[in-house]
Amino acid sequence: MATDTPLRPADSPGRAGHDDDRGSIRPIAPATGPAARLRGLIGIREELLAWVPEERTRYTWYGAIVLNTAMVGALSMALALGSFRSDLPLPAVLAVAAVWFWVVLVMDSWLVSSTHGTAVKKWSLGLRLVLSVLLGLFIAEPILFQIFDKEIRQEISVGNDQKVADYRGMLVACNPTGGASTADRPECRRYQLKVAGSPAELAEQIASNESRTKALAAQVTSVNGTLKDKMETEQRLCGPDNWIWRNGVRDVTITCERARADSSAYRRTSKIGTYEKQLGTLRAEGQRLAEKKNKAADTYQPLLQQAIDTKTQKRAADLDTDGILTRAHGLTQVAGSDGFALFLTIVLHLLLLGFDALPVLAKFMSGSTMYDTVLGTRFEATRRLHTDELQVRHECARMEHDVQRHQVELDTRDRMQALEHHYRTAQAERTVRERAELDARMERILRARRV
């Protein structure tokens, strides 16, 4: 409202058509062109700056600083995406960099434009400086990664090679060529390899097979012994010495038949045939395992080596080489391994942070300017004009309210008088009706008495 009102009429002499060389003619004509647009980035109003044209150069370069910071931020984002997400196409990288350019430009423009005027407090500038430093940290890191790119890649490569070598060493230590189990070692729980045909595994299988063979052989021997006793009993009871005469011929006794049925039933229920077949299979398996164990020394080591090579290659492929955390760790290692690299890292950090925070630092270094004084005066004038405007509006509203109240009072008085007149008229009419009714009654009474 008031800030847009010119402080001098447009047709006043000395406004347009004069330059600042005369010194006494203020304000001069507002500037246009690229310089004015740069100043517009940081919220400079040309109609106010026309009163202090000496500040134009300062604020032009101030706007250029904000624009440069946004451009460096876009470059940093492009470098970061190109380093950490190399699979992204170039248009996507440029689009994200453009968006980040706009975000940094808007934030820095707000930070700078909010510092204009004499009412800005130092603690407010301090908070803006903290925000600028945080923004600078995000912008500076990708640039530092590119500056130390060669050293960081070398450090990451050496570190990954060491990790792969350590991993392979643990695989070799936890998987001996003899195939012995290392499951009881806590450090080897993550490095166990499953390779079939190891000598130790075959030895365990042979031992298990021998144990099963012995148990089954003992069972077969026991069954055969029992069966042999039953057969001998059958032969003894069914021999010629125990025959009897039956129907004129010699025949076996009932005891022989029972012994014969008992031996036949035991042969059938004891499954001796199945056990003997299983025993033969176990003995054949034992011979096969023994032959396989003899050859395992020549076949297991190549299989184990192949498994170790496969796991090592997978481990090397899984190691990160371009991640932001990996690069940050690599930069830390580079800075920690060499004093000059540490010094250079700190200096570059401070330099980039100072550059990114320069829009607010410039305000700290320049202090309050004549433009700030003019703007502060305009703010104060606007505040006064706004206060006067509010007072005028309040007074007008009060008077309008008094008029409305007086009008309501008059209307109320007229309505009360009309209501009172209506009441009296109705009361008079009611009195007339009552008197006429009484006269009529009196006349009827008198007429009745005369009759």
Side-chain angles (χ1 to χ4, degrees):
M1 184 182 68
T3 55
D4 296 330
T5 305
L7 299 182
R8 179 178 294 184
D11 55 353
S12 176
R15 175 168 180 84
H18 297 76
D19 53 24
D20 191 45
D21 295 337
R22 298 177 60 180
S24 60
I25 306 299
R26 301 294 176 94
I28 66 173
T32 58
R37 285 191 287 271
L38 282 176
R39 293 191 293 269
L41 289 177
I42 55 176
I44 297 299
R45 301 187 58 174
E46 292 297 324
E47 67 274 13
L48 294 181
L49 193 61
W51 289 90
V52 281
E54 297 82 3
E55 302 285 349
R56 281 181 175 176
T57 303
R58 177 201 299 266
Y59 285 108
T60 299
W61 291 118
Y62 207 167
I65 290 174
V66 172
L67 181 61
N68 289 339
T69 303
M71 293 175 65
V72 171
L75 176 62
S76 174
M77 179 59 70
L79 292 176
L81 292 178
S83 300
F84 308 141
R85 291 295 305 273
S86 57
D87 56 327
L88 290 177
L90 181 60
V93 174
L94 295 179
V96 175
V99 172
W100 184 241
F101 167 81
W102 172 251
V103 171
V104 175
L105 181 63
V106 169
M107 291 185 65
D108 283 340
S109 297
W110 171 78
L111 288 172
V112 173
S113 62
S114 60
T115 61
H116 298 322
T118 57
V120 180
K121 305 298 182 182
K122 291 297 183 181
W123 64 266
S124 178
L125 288 177
L127 293 178
R128 288 171 173 83
L129 181 60
V130 170
L131 183 58
S132 297
V133 170
L134 293 177
L135 184 63
L137 284 173
F138 188 82
I139 293 175
E141 289 305 316
I143 298 178
L144 285 173
F145 291 154
Q146 290 299 319
I147 294 175
F148 293 100
D149 181 70
K150 184 178 179 180
E151 291 77 7
I152 292 175
R153 290 186 180 277
Q154 183 178 359
E155 185 66 32
I156 293 174
S157 177
V158 171
N160 288 346
D161 291 343
Q162 184 62 43
K163 291 179 181 178
V164 171
D166 294 342
Y167 184 77
R168 184 180 183 86
M170 290 301 298
L171 289 178
V172 172
C174 295
N175 298 275
T177 56
S181 176
T182 57
D184 56 337
R185 295 167 56 182
E187 69 275 10
C188 292
R189 292 176 182 176
R190 297 171 50 194
Y191 302 95
Q192 297 290 323
L193 295 179
K194 299 297 183 181
V195 180
S198 66
E201 181 182 359
L202 290 175
E204 292 179 359
Q205 293 179 4
I206 290 174
S208 175
N209 184 77
E210 290 178 352
S211 176
R212 292 171 57 193
T213 301
K214 289 180 180 180
L216 189 58
Q219 186 176 2
V220 169
T221 301
S222 176
V223 171
N224 284 331
T226 303
L227 183 60
K228 181 180 179 181
D229 293 340
K230 291 183 178 295
M231 291 297 296
E232 290 177 352
T233 302
E234 178 186 351
Q235 291 176 2
R236 181 172 51 81
L237 295 175
C238 295
D241 296 338
N242 294 318
W243 288 356
I244 61 174
W245 289 95
R246 183 181 295 171
N247 298 326
V249 296
R250 295 177 66 84
D251 196 1
V252 295
T253 63
I254 295 177
T255 304
C256 171
E257 292 178 351
R258 289 178 178 175
R260 187 178 294 169
D262 183 44
S263 61
S264 299
Y266 184 75
R267 181 185 296 275
R268 184 175 60 256
T269 57
S270 64
K271 300 180 181 180
I272 185 61
T274 303
Y275 290 156
E276 289 177 346
K277 186 181 296 184
Q278 291 179 355
L279 182 59
T281 302
L282 288 176
R283 287 173 176 170
E285 179 68 15
Q287 294 178 359
R288 187 185 67 81
L289 290 175
E291 294 175 357
K292 190 175 181 180
K293 182 181 178 181
N294 295 331
K295 299 178 181 180
D298 298 330
T299 60
Y300 176 71
Q301 291 185 4
L303 293 176
L304 177 62
Q305 187 66 32
Q306 182 179 359
I308 292 176
D309 292 341
T310 302
K311 294 290 289 185
T312 303
Q313 292 173 3
K314 185 176 183 302
R315 174 64 175 173
D318 292 340
L319 291 176
D320 184 31
T321 57
D322 292 326
I324 183 171
L325 295 180
T326 303
R327 282 180 163 265
H329 180 71
L331 180 60
T332 303
Q333 293 296 326
V334 170
S337 61
D338 184 82
F340 181 75
L342 177 61
F343 170 76
L344 190 59
T345 302
I346 295 175
V347 170
L348 288 176
H349 261 104
L350 295 177
L351 179 62
L352 292 174
L353 285 178
F355 178 79
D356 295 328
L358 192 57
V360 178
L361 288 176
K363 188 65 179 181
F364 271 108
M365 292 184 293
S366 62
S368 180
T369 63
M370 284 299 299
Y371 176 81
D372 292 328
T373 304
V374 172
L375 184 60
T377 304
R378 177 60 65 89
F379 284 156
E380 182 64 22
T382 301
R383 186 188 64 80
R384 293 175 182 174
L385 289 175
H386 181 65
T387 302
D388 294 342
E389 180 70 17
L390 290 180
Q391 290 177 353
V392 169
R393 290 185 180 182
H394 175 72
E395 189 65 23
C396 291
R398 188 186 63 79
M399 291 187 294
E400 181 67 23
H401 179 72
D402 291 341
V403 171
Q404 292 179 358
R405 183 174 61 183
H406 185 64
Q407 182 178 359
V408 170
E409 291 176 354
L410 294 178
D411 291 342
T412 301
R413 187 182 304 169
D414 292 341
R415 290 174 61 187
M416 291 177 63
Q417 291 178 356
L419 182 61
E420 185 177 359
H421 175 73
H422 177 72
Y423 174 74
R424 291 177 179 177
T425 302
Q427 187 176 18
E429 291 177 353
R430 187 168 57 253
T431 302
V432 171
R433 288 196 301 270
E434 291 176 353
R435 184 177 295 276
E437 185 178 354
L438 290 175
D439 292 342
R441 288 181 180 179
M442 183 61 69
E443 185 178 356
R444 286 196 301 270
I445 292 173
L446 294 176
R447 189 182 303 116
R449 287 181 178 179
R450 286 196 300 268
V451 173

